[in-house]
């Protein structure tokens, strides 16, 4: 398939995902049953964002114009992708880059996120038989020419060991934070709640900590986050809330709560499910400069940075860990 044919195929895929085909609806339901964190709401949100930001013809064409795709098509390599599974279809962008680069893709899906990606690949194969040879789902990735692997800090160490002799992109744990200056509107705080609470906060683009000016009044923030009170009705989230509340009480740690979120002053950028860490700062510019290139950060949300409410809306050029996946693949 030529690059133009692939874009046409992806646009067709976007139209399919944006519809309500019975096969797709069945796959969504099966995915939700297979992973309790994949609620119908968040599955639909992930698919909607993929259609809007990844599978739009104009956006795809403009994005691809920056890369020498023909190089990959003339000299195809076998690229192994070790997929994450923290949010629905989180590996879609890696597969998309592999597909468009012209390489042979071998993908090891996460056990947490098999159903939806497998359904998409099967659908593409049924439409375009030649596609079936380019992307294969494997239980083990051996004899690949290059690797893209995403996992925890611990698994990343193993990836570096096993894939060291091959061209690779190895990703580890990352998170996102927000820096507030105290002038945020209720609408911006509501959008920040989306950045923190969508997908239960399980994504690397989810805000897990906020930095606020000294003397900050949290009342409006807690009120804005009440839009996600309904998550407390979800037993897996509620169990985490109860557990983390118990830890705070046992340790006599000060906290604030709106009964669905725990605000806790802590130095760590990472926070557990149902908890949002915070720290105070005295100098906005100095704090922002310290955070901007922090090795653990995926997104910095705030005025002058990633706009509130858009952390979970990455575009085609918003590469994980800031590493240009398409440049890597087209350069093989």
């Amino acid at each position: 398939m030529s690059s133009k044919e692939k874009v046409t195929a992806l646009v067709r895929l976007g139209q399919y995902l944006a519809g309500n085909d019975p096969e797709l609806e069945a796959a969504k339901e099966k995915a939700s049953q297979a992973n309790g964190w994949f609620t119908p709401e968040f599955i639909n949100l992930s698919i909607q964002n993929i259609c809007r930001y990844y599978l739009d013809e104009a956006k795809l064409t403009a994005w691809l114009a920056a890369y020498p795709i023909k190089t990959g098509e003339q000299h195809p390599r076998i690229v192994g992708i070790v997929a994450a599974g923290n949010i629905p279809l989180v590996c879609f962008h890696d597969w998309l880059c592999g597909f468009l680069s012209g390489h042979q893709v071998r993908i090891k899906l996460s056990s947490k996120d098999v159903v939806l990606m497998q359904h998409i690949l099967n659908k593409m194969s049924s439409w375009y038989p030649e596609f079936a040879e380019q992307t294969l789902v494997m239980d083990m990735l051996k004899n690949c020419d290059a690797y893209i692997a995403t996992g925890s800090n611990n698994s990343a160490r193993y990836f570096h060991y096993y894939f060291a002799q091959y061209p690779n992109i190895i990703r580890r744990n990352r998170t996102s934070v927000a820096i507030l200056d105290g002038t945020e509107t209720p609408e911006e705080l509501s959008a920040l709640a989306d950045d923190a609470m969508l997908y239960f906060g399980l994504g690397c683009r989810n805000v897990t900590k906020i930095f606020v000016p000294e003397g900050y009044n949290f009342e409006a923030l807690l009120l804005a986050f009440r839009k996600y009170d309904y998550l407390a009705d979800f037993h897996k989230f509620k169990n985490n809330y109860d557990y983390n509340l118990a830890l705070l009480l046992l340790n006599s740690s000060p906290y604030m709560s709106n009964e669905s979120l725990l605000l806790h002053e802590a130095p760590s950028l990472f926070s557990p499910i149902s908890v949002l860490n915070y720290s105070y700062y005295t100098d906005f510019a100095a704090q922002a400069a310290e955070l901007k290139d922090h090795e653990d950060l995926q997104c910095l949300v705030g005025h002058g940075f990633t706009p509130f409410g858009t952390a979970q809306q990455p575009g085609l050029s918003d590469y994980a860990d800031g590493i240009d996946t398409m440049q890597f693949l087209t350069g093989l």
Side-chain angles (χ1 to χ4, degrees):
M1 300 174 72
S2 68
S3 294
K4 186 175 181 180
E5 289 172 331
K6 289 177 181 178
V7 169
T8 299
L10 290 170
V11 171
R12 180 180 180 183
L13 176 62
Q15 293 169 344
Y16 170 75
L17 292 176
N20 56 358
D21 187 283
E23 287 186 52
L24 177 61
E25 295 305 310
K28 291 179 184 179
E29 183 176 354
K30 185 178 179 182
S32 186
Q33 293 172 348
N35 185 339
W37 291 108
F38 287 11
T39 63
E41 173 193 357
F42 292 147
I43 287 175
N44 286 330
L45 177 64
S46 177
I47 290 175
Q48 288 166 11
N49 285 341
I50 285 172
C51 294
R52 180 179 179 183
Y53 299 107
Y54 293 167
L55 300 180
D56 176 82
E57 184 173 7
K59 291 176 181 176
L60 279 168
T61 302
W63 173 61
L64 286 174
Y67 301 97
I69 303 300
K70 289 184 178 180
T71 300
E73 292 174 346
Q74 292 170 354
H75 306 283
R77 301 289 187 265
I78 299 176
V79 177
I81 297 176
V82 181
N86 47 327
I87 66 176
L89 292 171
V90 69
C91 68
F92 186 89
H93 190 269
D94 281 342
W95 166 77
L96 177 73
C97 291
F99 173 58
L100 288 170
S101 69
H103 297 302
Q104 300 294 311
V105 177
R106 305 292 179 262
I107 183 168
K108 183 182 186 303
L109 296 173
S110 168
S111 60
K112 299 177 181 178
D113 187 22
V114 173
V115 178
L116 292 171
M117 197 66 207
Q118 186 67 72
H119 177 73
I120 286 173
L121 297 178
N122 290 345
K123 183 58 65 175
M124 290 285 284
S125 296
S126 70
W127 291 337
Y128 309 100
E130 64 271 35
F131 167 85
E133 297 299 320
Q134 185 181 349
T135 301
L136 296 176
V137 175
M138 313 287 287
D139 290 328
M140 295 187 66
L141 296 179
K142 293 184 177 181
N143 303 316
C144 295
D145 299 309
Y147 290 90
I148 299 173
T150 306
S152 65
N153 289 348
N154 188 51
S155 59
R157 286 192 288 269
Y158 287 97
F159 293 150
H160 279 294
Y161 175 79
Y162 286 114
F163 304 147
Q165 60 184 311
Y166 305 97
N168 66 67
I169 294 176
I170 307 297
R171 307 193 189 104
R172 57 181 182 80
N173 286 349
R174 288 209 178 206
T175 191
S176 299
V177 304
I179 180 168
L180 310 185
D181 60 22
T183 67
E184 289 76 21
T185 65
E187 291 76 19
E188 287 176 322
L189 293 178
S190 177
L192 173 61
D194 297 337
D195 294 327
M197 304 300 284
L198 290 177
Y199 307 112
F200 299 104
L202 290 169
C204 65
R205 299 182 68 89
N206 281 110
V207 169
T208 53
K209 180 170 183 174
I210 58 173
F211 290 82
V212 297
E214 289 186 346
Y216 183 79
N217 187 337
F218 288 91
E219 185 176 354
L221 180 75
L222 286 168
L223 180 62
F225 273 69
R226 297 219 64 148
K227 65 190 286 189
Y228 284 100
D229 277 359
Y230 71 93
L231 294 186
D233 296 329
F234 180 71
H235 71 281
K236 294 173 75 71
F237 182 87
K238 186 62 162 59
N239 289 343
N240 277 270
Y241 176 89
D242 290 342
Y243 174 77
N244 288 307
L245 175 59
L247 287 180
L248 292 171
L249 292 172
L250 286 171
N251 293 320
S252 299
S253 298
Y255 69 92
M256 292 173 276
S257 175
N258 62 6
E259 299 182 2
S260 60
L261 175 74
L262 297 163
L263 275 173
H264 176 51
E265 186 175 6
S268 177
L269 300 182
F270 296 85
S271 63
I273 295 171
S274 77
V275 179
L276 183 65
N277 289 347
Y278 70 89
S279 288
Y280 294 103
Y281 67 83
T282 55
D283 186 318
F284 181 92
Q287 184 64 72
E290 179 183 335
L291 291 170
K292 190 174 180 182
D293 297 316
H294 197 290
E295 63 178 4
D296 289 332
L297 287 191
Q298 191 70 55
C299 299
L300 175 57
V301 175
H303 292 150
F305 304 101
T306 300
F308 292 106
T310 66
Q312 284 295 352
Q313 299 173 7
L316 288 164
S317 297
D318 292 320
Y319 298 103
D321 291 15
I323 301 173
D324 191 324
T325 313
M326 279 298 286
Q327 186 178 63
F328 168 76
L329 290 170
T330 55
L332 293 175

